[in-house]
Amino acid sequence: MMKLVALVPLLPLIGFLINGLFGARIKDRAHLVAIPAAGLSCLVAFIVFFQTIGGATLDWDVYSWLKVGNLTVPIGILVDPLSTVMMLVVTFVGLLIHIYSIGYMHGDRSFARFFTYLNLFMFSMLVLVLANNYLLMFLGWEGVGLCSYLLIGFWYEKKSAADAGKKAFVVNRIGDAGFMLGLFFIWSTFGSLKYTEVFAAIDPALGAGIYTTITLLLFVGAMGKSAQLPLYVWLPDAMEGPTPVSALIHAATMVTAGVYMVARSNPLFNLAPFSLEVVAWVGALTAVFAATIALVQNDIKKVVAYSTISQLGYMFLGAGAGAYASAVFHLATHAFFKALLFLGAGSVIHSLHGEQDIRKMGGLWKAMPITAWTFLLASLANGGIFPLAGFWSKDEILFNAFERGLTIPWLLGLIGAFLTAFYMFRLFFQVFTGPFRGDAHTAHHLHESPPNMAYPLLVLGALSVVAGVLFGFPPDRGLYHRFVAPIFEAAHESEGAAIHAAASSEILMAALSLSVALLGIGLAYLFYVKRPELPARLADKMQGVYRLLLNKYWVDELYQAIFIDFGKRFCRFLWGFDSRVVDGAVNGSGWLTMRLSVMSAWSDLKIVDGLVNAIADLIQGGSVTLRRLHTGAIQNYILAMALGILGMVVFYLFV
């Protein structure tokens, strides 16, 4: 029965092939292929999940893929608690977004192409999480990267969308280069790329240096895929794609691939304490950095996008603290409430006929009650408010960071919690409360989303409320933690005792985190409900800071100047060097050869041939003269002899 798991990725692949081959004929019925494929994949995933709860696991080499020298890589499937959690997130959230897309993409001329890409993405993501070796994971990794490029630039007629797709592709290649180097080091060190063989071959005697090198290279890949400093710049621009894409790829699944890869590689990271510290610091800094930018953004999707970057930072903070289970727990809860936020934003955009500027919204609660209520639940969950899902997972991360002595990253995480609550409720109040600030025509046509868009909101809203307490209570020992415990035993053996000994302080830490979040909500209420004039006054007083945040620290401009503009100038320099110096030398050599050949031809003609011809002419002229002297008359000969003798006498007498 466990081998049914092969159907989980194969069903979306079949949907992709059918729509890819016949989409031009199917057109607006493409969802009738794509959704059953996603739904059946989700159903099989749940069957496998229940078998995994019963203790069943599977490490199945389906067939040998590559065999080169000492390297053997299978096409293999690994079913364990970690891959099962990821599989459920991908298939379940993916199914809901497929259903939502029916209404959102209705009427789009590329309707069939959209669902084709969605199925391909699900297949690639499932290959990534179910692979039993690093190379097959990398294949899925690149597959989701391709799908991201295709879906971000889905409306490729828009230059901004096409540019965003290319930007995502290029930035992720930087991270992927690090990932590939990490794989080379893994193979050269352990002689295999299969998880079980690599982890079994781990030897602390090799020294921390090799493990630090491998894990830092792997983390470079994770930074690119999961949009962490400094490789985060592609994700905000990715909002150019359709909103369901933002929900599926850039909130719930693809961007969490880096977190999954770090968690999967936990035996390697456990032997590289420096790498873990780097992961924690990068995560904490990213969480605060992205949150500060989200404070002042006016595009509804951009706010949620920067929130995603920030929450991914919390996941890496948890992983860096060695709390891999907490990091993956936040990954799962985040998938629910962040997908809900994006789908709620899409519902608003759909009702406002494409408008994304929150300054032109307001008062949508009455017209869109389902969207408003579910968006509120997602905002509370994202803000870490008890007892919603985000509270349990985020609190665990902060607590573990504090207990493991990561004081400054923990403090940054606490600041991030305050900022998160503030910007989320700034967004909520500006969109759903107060008067409507758009035009009269739009106000007249405000409406709630159709059922196929509303139902996924309700399901995700319910999960945003109950998932945390249902699976995460009590903290570190809930259903979820007991389920994944075998995967992270090594990490818990070293730190578990200390954590449990300090369990009494967790309530205090949770209360502190909750208080900070409530303070953020209260401040947002003051600024955007009670005293809406305050933000403008504060922006005027702190214009420098406001412009800095509004322009996102000018990081994109800095990258443009350093890497793109400089790159262009350097390329122009190389072109000039090639055309003027290299080509100049070649062309100069040709010119010089031609000049020398002309001179050689002239010297040959005028000097060599001239000398030869002159001698010939001289001889010829002399011979003519001599012929004339030979007259045959004896008297002439006697006269010549007499003249010669006379000349000799004169020479002798006078010279």
Side-chain angles (χ1 to χ4, degrees):
M1 281 293 286
M2 279 293 285
K3 292 187 176 181
L4 278 174
V5 72
L7 293 174
V8 176
L10 284 177
L11 285 165
L13 178 62
I14 292 169
F16 159 73
L17 292 173
I18 293 173
N19 277 329
L21 293 171
F22 306 107
R25 296 182 181 179
I26 298 174
K27 294 183 180 179
D28 58 354
R29 292 174 292 174
H31 64 285
L32 298 178
V33 174
I35 291 178
L40 289 172
S41 177
C42 183
L43 177 62
V44 176
F46 270 99
I47 294 172
V48 172
F49 166 67
F50 287 118
Q51 291 181 336
T52 308
I53 289 178
T57 59
L58 179 68
D59 188 358
W60 177 27
D61 291 342
V62 182
Y63 70 93
S64 183
W65 176 24
L66 292 176
K67 192 169 184 178
V68 182
N70 296 326
L71 176 64
T72 301
V73 181
I75 294 288
I77 294 174
L78 176 64
V79 179
D80 64 6
L82 179 57
S83 62
T84 302
V85 170
M86 294 297 299
M87 177 178 63
L88 288 177
V89 170
V90 173
T91 56
F92 185 71
V93 177
L95 174 61
L96 293 177
I97 292 170
H98 273 70
I99 296 170
Y100 178 93
S101 299
I102 300 172
Y104 192 88
M105 298 301 294
H106 178 72
D108 194 286
R109 62 186 181 90
S110 298
F111 187 83
R113 179 164 62 90
F114 181 80
F115 279 96
T116 302
Y117 291 165
L118 283 190
N119 272 174
L120 178 62
F121 169 79
M122 280 192 66
F123 165 73
S124 300
M125 192 66 199
L126 288 166
V127 168
L128 190 159
V129 301
L130 290 173
N132 70 350
N133 62 83
Y134 280 106
L135 191 59
L136 190 58
M137 174 198 275
F138 186 72
L139 180 67
W141 188 278
E142 292 300 297
V144 296
L146 170 64
C147 293
S148 179
Y149 166 75
L150 295 172
L151 286 165
I152 293 170
F154 182 77
W155 290 315
Y156 56 83
E157 301 90 347
K158 288 172 59 183
K159 186 178 183 303
S160 57
D163 289 346
K166 289 183 284 188
K167 185 176 182 179
F169 193 84
V170 171
V171 174
N172 273 276
R173 296 292 73 73
I174 299 170
D176 294 350
F179 194 179
M180 284 190 292
L181 289 173
L183 298 190
F184 294 149
F185 270 94
I186 290 174
W187 177 73
S188 65
T189 303
F190 304 107
S192 177
L193 290 173
K194 191 173 179 181
Y195 302 144
T196 52
E197 294 175 359
V198 170
F199 301 154
I202 287 176
D203 183 2
L206 289 173
I210 184 65
Y211 295 107
T212 299
T213 302
I214 291 171
T215 51
L216 285 180
L217 287 170
L218 293 178
F219 183 55
V220 170
M223 284 194 295
K225 193 66 76 182
S226 297
Q228 297 295 283
L229 287 170
L231 302 179
Y232 73 94
V233 292
W234 67 270
L235 184 57
D237 289 8
M239 299 303 107
E240 290 289 343
T243 301
V245 173
S246 304
L248 178 62
I249 295 182
H250 307 124
T253 54
M254 189 195 84
V255 291
T256 62
V259 180
Y260 168 74
M261 185 261 284
V262 171
R264 174 61 70 191
S265 306
N266 73 88
L268 297 171
F269 278 89
N270 290 336
L271 293 175
F274 177 76
S275 297
L276 283 177
E277 193 166 346
V278 170
V279 172
W281 273 94
V282 169
L285 289 170
T286 303
V288 175
F289 179 83
T292 59
I293 298 175
L295 293 174
V296 299
Q297 298 304 303
N298 296 311
D299 184 309
I300 186 172
K301 288 178 67 177
K302 289 286 182 73
V303 176
V304 184
Y306 280 106
S307 175
T308 298
I309 298 171
S310 181
Q311 295 304 308
L312 288 165
Y314 280 101
M315 298 174 206
F316 282 111
L317 173 58
Y324 306 103
S326 299
V328 177
F329 186 32
H330 195 55
L331 182 158
T333 60
H334 175 264
F336 301 141
F337 61 73
K338 190 52 58 69
L340 177 56
L341 285 171
F342 270 114
L343 296 186
S347 182
V348 170
I349 295 167
H350 183 267
S351 180
L352 271 62
H353 309 289
E355 181 60 66
Q356 295 185 196
D357 192 335
I358 61 176
R359 292 169 296 184
K360 299 178 182 179
M361 301 177 187
L364 299 184
W365 190 297
K366 291 182 180 179
M368 308 178 68
I370 295 176
T371 301
W373 276 108
T374 54
F375 202 94
L376 175 60
L377 292 174
S379 299
L380 289 168
N382 196 30
I385 303 303
F386 178 86
L388 282 81
F391 167 81
W392 301 95
S393 53
K394 187 185 291 185
D395 175 66
E396 279 188 19
I397 289 171
L398 292 175
F399 174 70
N400 280 278
F402 182 82
E403 287 297 312
R404 286 170 171 82
L406 296 167
T407 306
I408 296 178
W410 166 78
L411 184 60
L412 290 172
L414 202 62
I415 295 170
F418 166 77
L419 297 175
T420 301
F422 179 83
Y423 69 67
M424 283 309 309
F425 277 85
R426 166 185 178 263
L427 178 63
F428 177 80
F429 291 139
Q430 286 203 293
V431 173
F432 294 103
T433 66
F436 181 71
R437 298 179 294 275
D439 58 78
H441 176 76
T442 304
H444 183 70
H445 291 87
L446 291 174
H447 61 277
E448 184 61 89
S449 297
N452 51 25
M453 294 175 65
Y455 291 150
L457 299 180
L458 294 171
V459 175
L460 290 170
L463 288 170
S464 298
V465 174
V466 304
V469 67
L470 187 62
F471 303 110
F473 183 83
D476 290 321
R477 296 177 297 279
L479 291 174
Y480 160 79
H481 298 86
R482 294 199 300 273
F483 180 59
V484 300
I487 306 298
F488 306 118
E489 278 179 349
H492 283 284
E493 285 174 4
S494 60
E495 301 286 350
I499 293 295
H500 290 301
S504 58
S505 66
E506 189 164 4
I507 297 175
L508 178 62
M509 299 296 295
L512 178 61
S513 175
L514 179 60
S515 300
V516 166
L518 291 173
L519 179 62
I521 295 174
L523 193 62
Y525 179 79
L526 174 66
F527 274 42
Y528 297 99
V529 179
K530 296 294 290 184
R531 301 280 302 278
E533 76 281 0
L534 285 179
R537 286 167 57 183
L538 188 62
D540 286 338
K541 275 187 180 181
M542 305 175 67
Q543 289 187 19
V545 175
Y546 177 73
R547 285 198 302 271
L548 181 68
L549 299 180
L550 188 64
N551 291 282
K552 300 161 286 187
Y553 296 93
W554 288 286
V555 172
D556 284 288
E557 290 79 3
L558 184 65
Y559 284 6
Q560 179 78 27
I562 295 176
F563 298 110
I564 300 176
D565 293 344
F566 175 77
K568 287 180 178 178
R569 288 195 295 271
F570 186 62
C571 289
R572 290 193 190 99
F573 166 76
L574 292 178
W575 176 81
F577 182 83
D578 180 68
S579 61
R580 293 182 175 84
V581 179
V582 180
D583 289 353
V586 174
N587 295 334
S589 299
W591 179 87
L592 182 61
T593 302
M594 291 177 64
R595 293 294 92 193
L596 290 174
S597 65
V598 170
M599 292 175 62
S600 177
W602 182 86
S603 67
D604 182 66
L605 182 64
K606 300 295 184 183
I607 299 175
V608 179
D609 289 355
L611 182 61
V612 172
N613 292 333
I615 294 171
D617 292 341
L618 181 62
I619 294 171
Q620 185 180 15
S623 65
V624 170
T625 303
L626 290 174
R627 279 201 306 273
R628 287 175 181 171
L629 294 174
H630 291 275
T631 60
I634 188 70
Q635 60 272 25
N636 291 340
Y637 299 151
I638 293 170
L639 178 61
M641 290 173 66
L643 291 173
I645 292 169
L646 181 62
M648 291 171 65
V649 171
V650 171
F651 180 82
Y652 177 77
L653 291 175
F654 295 101
V655 178

